[in-house]
Amino acid sequence: MLRNRLLFLQNDNDKNKNHARTAISRKPQAAHNIFLSSKPKVKLAAILPALFVIFTGAFTADSAFSASAANSESTLISADSKENVEAHFTVIAHRGASGYLPEHTLEAATLAFSLRPDFIEQDVVITKDDIPVVLHDIHLETVTDVENIFPTRHRDDGRFYVRDFTLEELRQLRVHERTGSNGSQVFENRYRGNHANFNVATLAEHFELISELNRQFGTSVGVYPEVKSPAFHIDEGVDASKMVVDALNTYGFGGENGNSYLQCFDFNEIKRIRETLGYKGKVVMLIGENDWGESDTDYNWLRTQEGMKQVANYADGIGPWLGHLLDNDAMVQGKIKAASWVKYAHENKLTIHPYTYRHDALPAGMSSEQVLDVLNKVVDADGVFTDHLVPVLTWRDKQNQRK
């Protein structure tokens, strides 16, 4: 799912154009003004600035929205909220338990499994010897020490591409917390250790791990792989989508009854997965911004009535960026409602899994519960991608206890 410039944004600004992005867990929702707590009314001044920050990515440390604004008088709003919270709000472990351990490592996947999300995500890229590995980006320097181990193996753009290394070579690298262009951790309070030897793992290793843990514990945690940069891989002479589909089928996660979602940012690739590869399992169309360079897909067009209709011809769901979900004009008027395009997703019965909730990147003035309530009640999302499973699972348990 996608980048640090996304929701609850951080320095990574993948597009910093030198560093990969982070998705903030994954996808759209509905439209009504509603309460953001169990109380009948809430003061908009206390949350609207923060909502604007979250859902537009406009947050900075010196935000003009000060504490005084949060305490000022404002219009009170109320509206009909859902009488009952949905029995199930899907929780997806974004890159494993990436809020606690280096992303996409087997250790992060194991920790995620132990917390019992519904799905664990794997971003997939392909090595020089045509082996699918689990890494968020087609580049290596943001999450490994490749520049120290193979200092001359970068391309003309100065970046180190996974596709230029064999699996044996990748095994020599140490995976670390994601770093920004200045070399410092994007999320400074996450894992700070220097001695644990986290390594690059294959897609087969991730699928085997989850499959075996499910078997032994009698559980059914699913997988949620993303085909990264399919057009890039095709240009490199490799069909990344087919490799992922084959792996899903091999480990029993694929097909119409498979406990998985297959996601991608490239609409043409989503269509190819259906039509050319004939894949019958659940597919999700990821939605970002056009200037992120994820693909040549026009994401603005996707968020139209015709766009959502076309998506529904090929996909079971969408994975929108949180910044697309709320109506900014309504917030200026003191109202909280879903962006108008979200209704098109609901009309086409598309599952909505937004990205990404990060507990260590909550905007000032908003609690964890308020952020999740907005996704659940205002947008009517079906779930969320999260780096931090504990607060999201705790919130979900509370909702279900209230039924």
Side-chain angles (χ1 to χ4, degrees):
M1 272 138 177
L2 286 223
R3 31 173 137 301
N4 294 318
R5 68 180 281 178
L6 295 183
L7 191 51
F8 306 155
L9 102 120
Q10 309 297 325
N11 298 354
D12 192 354
N13 187 0
D14 239 63
K15 265 345 257 227
N16 224 344
K17 311 237 180 175
N18 292 320
H19 292 62
R21 311 128 207 179
T22 48
I24 169 157
S25 243
R26 239 111 201 350
K27 288 89 190 174
Q29 312 99 92
H32 284 52
N33 296 341
I34 74 166
F35 305 121
L36 297 180
S37 70
S38 58
K39 298 179 180 180
K41 294 182 179 180
V42 294
K43 292 186 177 181
L44 278 185
I47 61 172
L48 275 176
L51 283 174
F52 184 81
V53 161
I54 298 183
F55 293 93
T56 63
F59 177 70
T60 63
D62 298 318
S63 175
F65 299 120
S66 64
S68 61
N71 294 323
S72 67
E73 290 300 321
S74 180
T75 305
L76 295 179
I77 61 166
S78 64
D80 294 335
S81 61
K82 297 177 183 178
E83 291 191 1
N84 293 308
V85 175
E86 295 296 331
H88 195 76
F89 185 84
T90 300
V91 178
I92 304 125
H94 183 240
R95 308 180 200 174
S98 59
Y100 313 102
L101 290 172
E103 65 183 55
H104 281 325
T105 58
L106 289 175
E107 291 84 353
T110 303
L111 177 57
F113 180 92
S114 74
L115 297 171
R116 296 296 192 274
D118 299 292
F119 297 92
I120 299 174
E121 183 196 33
Q122 304 80 28
D123 294 307
V124 185
V125 295
I126 313 301
T127 68
K128 185 176 183 177
D129 45 350
D130 294 346
I131 298 173
V133 293
V134 179
L135 287 164
H136 181 263
D137 313 305
I138 60 175
H139 311 111
L140 290 161
E141 65 273 10
T142 55
V143 292
T144 76
D145 60 352
V146 64
E147 65 274 22
N148 297 327
I149 307 303
F150 299 104
T152 65
R153 296 280 295 279
H154 55 77
R155 294 194 183 185
D156 291 342
D157 60 2
R159 309 211 64 177
F160 297 81
Y161 286 74
V162 176
R163 184 64 181 159
D164 295 336
F165 295 83
T166 65
L167 178 61
E168 182 180 3
E169 290 172 329
L170 293 178
R171 298 291 202 197
Q172 300 176 45
L173 307 180
R174 176 171 292 182
V175 175
H176 54 63
E177 280 289 334
R178 179 169 290 274
T179 57
S181 57
N182 61 359
S184 62
Q185 283 193 193
V186 172
F187 300 93
E188 62 180 0
N189 291 319
R190 295 192 183 182
Y191 191 85
R192 295 176 176 175
N194 296 312
H195 299 294
N197 191 22
F198 299 107
N199 301 120
V200 175
T202 67
L203 182 61
E205 289 167 338
H206 275 265
F207 281 2
E208 177 185 272
L209 173 70
I210 296 167
S211 179
E212 282 297 296
L213 291 175
N214 276 333
R215 179 182 64 80
Q216 294 179 87
F217 286 94
T219 51
S220 57
V221 175
V223 298
Y224 212 124
E226 177 187 342
V227 180
K228 300 297 296 187
S229 305
F232 165 84
H233 283 102
I234 290 293
D235 287 344
E236 291 286 318
V238 61
D239 189 340
S241 293
K242 185 177 187 306
M243 289 183 172
V244 175
V245 167
D246 287 347
L248 284 167
N249 292 332
T250 296
Y251 286 92
F253 290 112
E256 294 180 70
N257 299 315
N259 193 19
S260 67
Y261 284 91
L262 176 58
Q263 56 181 331
C264 188
F265 273 99
D266 189 323
F267 187 42
N268 286 330
E269 191 68 7
I270 291 290
K271 291 190 284 187
R272 196 177 77 86
I273 287 170
R274 285 296 197 209
E275 296 178 335
T276 303
L277 300 183
Y279 185 63
K280 303 297 184 183
K282 295 185 290 295
V283 173
V284 163
M285 177 71 229
L286 294 171
I287 300 175
E289 289 279 12
N290 289 342
D291 65 2
W292 291 349
E294 287 289 345
S295 73
D296 59 4
T297 299
D298 183 351
Y299 301 113
N300 294 330
W301 175 79
L302 285 186
R303 298 195 310 277
T304 65
Q305 187 170 24
E306 179 60 24
M308 283 293 102
K309 181 179 179 181
Q310 288 301 313
V311 167
N313 288 331
Y314 303 95
D316 302 277
I318 57 173
W321 174 43
L322 290 174
H324 291 148
L325 297 177
L326 291 186
D327 186 323
N328 293 332
D329 292 335
M331 283 195 285
V332 171
Q333 299 172 23
K335 301 176 182 179
I336 303 172
K337 60 186 295 186
S340 59
W341 73 269
V342 176
K343 68 183 178 183
Y344 304 138
H346 288 296
E347 288 172 355
N348 285 284
K349 302 186 185 307
L350 289 164
T351 297
I352 299 173
H353 291 161
Y355 60 89
T356 305
Y357 170 92
R358 295 187 171 101
H359 196 64
D360 56 3
L362 293 173
M366 283 200 78
S367 68
S368 171
E369 290 77 11
Q370 286 174 327
V371 172
L372 294 166
D373 281 349
V374 167
L375 291 177
N376 182 51
K377 298 176 182 179
V378 177
V379 182
D380 195 20
D382 298 289
V384 70
F385 281 82
T386 179
D387 291 3
H388 295 93
L389 290 166
V390 174
V392 179
L393 291 170
T394 298
W395 169 85
R396 185 175 72 176
D397 287 344
K398 288 180 180 178
Q399 307 311 304
N400 289 332
Q401 288 168 9
R402 293 172 184 167
K403 288 180 63 67

